[in-house]
Amino acid sequence: MPLTASQPAADMPGDLAGAFAFVDRLHEQGMGGILRSPCLPSPALSKALGCEVVVKLENLQATGSFKERGAYARLAALSEAERRRGVVAASAGNHAQGVARHATAMGIRATIVMPEGTPMVKVHQTRALGAEVDITGADFDAAKAHALSLSAETGAVFIHPFDDPVVLAGQGTLAREMLAEYPDLDTLVLPIGGGGLAAGCGLAARQIKPDIELVGVQSDLFPSFANIYHGTDRPIGGFTLAEGIAVREPGELTREILSDILDDVLVADERQIERALNLFISHLRVLPEGAGAVGLAGVLAAPERFGGKRVGLVLTGGNVDTRLLSSLLLRDLARSRRLARLRIELVDVPGQLSAVSDVISRAEGNVTDVAYHKTFSDLPAKVTYIDISLEAQDAAHMDRIEAALREAGFRVEQASY
């Protein structure tokens, strides 16, 4: 299906107008079976944040991410000759799976270049969706360079993850769905990596509701577009939970669009991103990946600017590593003092551990782990200590358990981690 511009969108250059008109037709025709994901109000999140929140759950897509919207749209725009040549893409995860799934459905040969160190679960998922995987390059930039060289050598069409009019128009369909369901939204808060989601959703939203506020959010470790927007020079790089938006340079097209349409760009630190992940899990009962929670983290970073507003958030993806998820949940329990490790000094005589257990039991605490220290200690020979990990109902309950241990004559302190 060749790309045409029979229905140009207002106030857009020709390429963008044609892209949005083309994608609008795809959307009306069902968007290749892509889910019109639920957009749900969250009273619990709204109460916690001080604004009225609705959340678009893109983690429920077949590939676990919004990325397949843009991938499908770009593949659908290929001519028959281009389809025969095949496609190539570079990605460490979500874009890879979107391209693989829809290329296979359309009978198009797809090669995905993934950087070294990509989690094997993502490699296996991409292969399982029918793509050939080429693991090359130390990072995304190196993988992209290799993908471009393969495109030049073989004639396969390079499918860019964000800096493409049709791709970003595809991502914009989720904003159309949000505003169709909740036309009274005051603000959309959109994560920014390469900028395809924010640019596509921003343009689509402004066509429908010209006065809607558009706020972008980046990880403070990768503030590439925030630097451009605010004229700052914050350092870029590091290990972020939001690896899906850890992009050193936004696209040329997306940079131009976002500079023009955004009302503000915020940055969220790792603690705010981690808290956002836990809020989604505890309040909305959904599993986000780090980048997927960045919109919520942006509200946590500047709650005063959203107070009392009707705010639309996009949970952009849910492809989270289960080991990381386990660690995050335990860290949240520790920070809220529903889980704690207490160091208790004991006289090295029989019955001391039993006495400690009895106090904790009567205080209705739950012991999850015990470590006994005697050899590696600078305490006197007849004195030892134990580290006990405990579960409690909340911080006040944990305080009562500690108080009960001290009242029983035990010396108690927080154990170091």
Side-chain angles (χ1 to χ4, degrees):
M1 185 188 300
L3 178 62
T4 62
S6 58
Q7 299 175 335
D11 302 321
M12 287 190 194
D15 286 351
L16 280 171
F20 273 84
F22 172 72
V23 170
D24 283 349
R25 293 196 297 277
L26 292 179
H27 197 241
E28 290 168 3
Q29 295 162 10
M31 204 68 180
I34 290 173
L35 177 69
R36 290 201 176 206
S37 60
C39 189
L40 303 175
S42 174
L45 280 178
S46 298
K47 182 177 180 181
L49 299 172
C51 57
E52 187 179 336
V53 173
V54 298
V55 184
K56 182 77 163 164
L57 299 178
E58 287 293 288
N59 60 309
L60 299 182
Q61 296 293 349
T63 60
S65 164
F66 77 95
K67 283 283 190 178
E68 63 174 291
R69 292 177 182 265
Y72 168 76
R74 185 64 185 88
L75 291 166
L78 296 174
S79 67
E80 288 302 322
E82 289 173 325
R83 293 184 183 206
R84 288 192 294 271
R85 300 204 313 260
V87 298
V88 63
S91 170
N94 292 337
H95 180 60
Q97 293 176 65
V99 172
R101 177 177 184 240
H102 292 286
T104 298
M106 296 179 190
I108 301 170
R109 180 174 53 83
T111 300
I112 311 295
V113 182
M114 307 185 87
E116 298 163 5
T118 297
M120 288 308 298
V121 63
K122 293 186 177 181
V123 174
H124 293 323
Q125 286 171 345
T126 304
R127 284 180 175 146
L129 289 166
E132 177 184 339
V133 175
D134 181 343
I135 300 177
T136 302
D139 54 22
F140 171 76
D141 290 334
K144 178 185 171 185
H146 182 62
L148 288 170
S149 71
L150 288 178
S151 175
E153 291 169 11
T154 66
V157 179
F158 179 67
I159 307 296
H160 201 288
F162 48 83
D163 207 31
D164 180 287
V166 181
V167 170
L168 66 87
Q171 321 299 26
T173 57
L174 72 86
R176 291 193 179 280
E177 293 170 10
M178 291 182 78
L179 286 170
E181 198 167 348
Y182 292 92
D184 60 347
L185 289 176
D186 298 315
T187 306
L188 286 182
V189 183
L190 302 163
I192 301 174
L197 173 72
C201 286
L203 288 172
R206 283 280 165 82
Q207 286 181 40
I208 298 166
K209 189 172 183 178
D211 62 344
I212 193 167
E213 182 184 37
L214 300 173
V215 177
V217 186
Q218 292 202 290
S219 157
D220 73 341
L221 292 176
F222 285 84
S224 52
F225 183 73
N227 280 341
I228 295 167
Y229 189 87
H230 293 295
T232 54
D233 190 27
R234 298 174 60 137
I236 297 173
F239 295 98
T240 176
L241 286 172
E243 75 281 349
I245 59 168
V247 177
R248 292 182 178 274
E249 287 290 339
E252 293 182 11
L253 174 62
T254 56
R255 176 188 317 197
E256 181 180 347
I257 293 168
L258 293 175
S259 295
D260 183 53
I261 68 172
L262 290 184
D263 294 294
D264 199 0
V265 179
L266 307 174
V267 294
D269 63 31
E270 292 302 294
R271 194 178 183 92
Q272 288 157 347
I273 296 171
E274 187 173 333
R275 185 180 172 218
L277 280 161
N278 283 298
L279 284 174
F280 271 133
I281 293 167
S282 61
H283 289 359
L284 211 56
R285 306 296 191 268
V286 293
L287 296 180
E289 59 188 85
V294 164
L296 176 54
V299 180
L300 292 173
E304 66 288 342
R305 82 176 315 288
F306 300 102
K309 295 182 179 179
R310 294 177 293 275
V311 178
L313 302 176
V314 184
L315 199 171
T316 59
N319 292 316
V320 62
D321 182 278
T322 52
R323 291 173 300 175
L324 175 63
L325 178 62
S326 174
S327 173
L328 291 172
L329 290 173
L330 290 173
R331 283 162 60 92
D332 185 56
L333 289 173
R335 284 175 177 159
S336 62
R337 283 183 50 76
R338 287 176 290 168
L339 182 67
R341 182 182 295 171
L342 304 180
R343 175 158 292 180
I344 303 172
E345 188 175 307
L346 303 176
V347 178
D348 191 15
V349 296
Q352 287 284 284
L353 181 56
S354 175
V356 169
S357 298
D358 183 60
V359 172
I360 294 172
S361 175
R362 283 188 280 106
E364 299 183 328
N366 183 46
V367 176
T368 61
D369 183 69
V370 178
Y372 182 83
H373 304 277
K374 183 176 181 181
T375 303
F376 301 101
S377 168
D378 58 0
L379 293 172
K382 295 295 291 183
V383 179
T384 187
Y385 64 84
I386 56 172
D387 288 342
I388 295 187
S389 297
L390 298 170
E391 289 179 328
Q393 298 166 8
D394 51 31
H397 184 206
M398 188 65 74
D399 289 341
R400 291 197 299 273
I401 295 170
E402 286 192 46
L405 287 165
R406 291 190 177 96
E407 287 172 8
F410 295 106
R411 183 174 175 183
V412 182
E413 62 184 34
Q414 290 285 329
S416 59
Y417 290 85

